[in-house]
Amino acid sequence: QQQVKQSPQSLIVQKGGISIINCAYENTAFDYFPWYQQFPGKGPALLIAIRPDVSEKKEGRFTISFNKSAKQFSLHIMDSQPGDSATYFCAACYTGGFKTIFGAGTRLFVKA
Amino acid sequence: DGGITQSPKYLFRKEGQNVTLSCEQNLNHDAMYWYRQDPGQGLRLIYYSQIVNDFQKGDIAEGYSVSREKKESFPLTVTSAQKNPTAFYLCASSMVAGGGPQHFGDGTRLSIL
């Protein structure tokens, strides 16, 4: 019940295309869903996050879509650029829960 | 600039040796965490600390130890009992434990000699 399942494991997208990464969770107590971006040799950095009271959040080219009833959320990267090539992790946690549960990660490669 | 500093960036361990990884934060965060990252396995929680002088085991604590004597510092010791220590180790902090974003350092890569 504590797992967050992320797919796909890897993704290749043409420059200018849309990258879509999906995550699913079981624990309905989760109330914070962040996405992290990690470049090789660096630590993950917070990209965008959503709480379950909204169905969508957009920041620039990055959008989180959230489906509470299906217990799924996804990251959409519009107009994907080679500089977006990185590993992306979805995650989930809940207030007072002490732990953040991370997905296994998606390696994105954007072809120029 | 506020952030998390991990050192060293690369570390080599000999058989039977304990090594300590440093993590310092100047974000005034209460909670700190240590993760291990292996290829294709995401981030696995080793230890976490909600406040000074308190810490809890995570999912893979065997062979590791920590201390939290100061709010800013959360060092991780990889003991000789950890038989497969080769990995990328990440330290993180958050304002409070759970329910919010974590800030990560740039990691320490540990290898066996």
Side-chain angles (χ1 to χ4, degrees), chain B residues 47-59:
Chain B
Y47 268 98
Y48 64 98
S49 168
Q50 299 174 60
I51 55 172
V52 174
N53 292 322
D54 180 70
F55 48 83
Q56 307 295 329
K57 292 182 179 180
D59 301 317

Side-chain angles (χ1 to χ4, degrees), chain B residues 4-16:
Chain B
I4 296 183
T5 302
Q6 289 188 243
S7 63
K9 192 167 180 64
Y10 300 96
L11 188 58
F12 296 92
R13 195 192 89 169
K14 295 180 182 178
E15 291 289 337

Side-chain angles (χ1 to χ4, degrees), chain A residues 93-100, chain B residues 30-33 48-51 94-100 102:
Chain A
C93 57
Y94 57 92
T95 305
F98 313 129
K99 288 171 62 172
T100 294
Chain B
D30 284 324
M32 297 187 75
Y33 312 81
Y48 64 98
S49 168
Q50 299 174 60
I51 55 172
S94 62
M95 198 172 297
V96 294
Q102 293 188 9

Side-chain angles (χ1 to χ4, degrees), chain A residues 9 31-32 36 38 41-46 51 89 93-100 102-105, chain B residues 9 33 35 37 40-43 45 48 50 59 88 90 97-102 104-107 109:
Chain A
Q9 193 172 16
D31 61 6
Y32 182 73
Y36 291 88
Q38 184 181 28
K42 297 290 188 181
L46 180 69
R51 295 198 183 270
F89 294 96
C93 57
Y94 57 92
T95 305
F98 313 129
K99 288 171 62 172
T100 294
F102 288 87
Chain B
K9 192 167 180 64
Y33 312 81
Y35 294 93
Q37 186 173 29
Q41 291 197 45
L43 285 78
L45 183 65
Y48 64 98
Q50 299 174 60
D59 301 317
F88 191 48
L90 288 159
Q102 293 188 9
F104 285 85
D106 278 340
R109 189 166 299 279

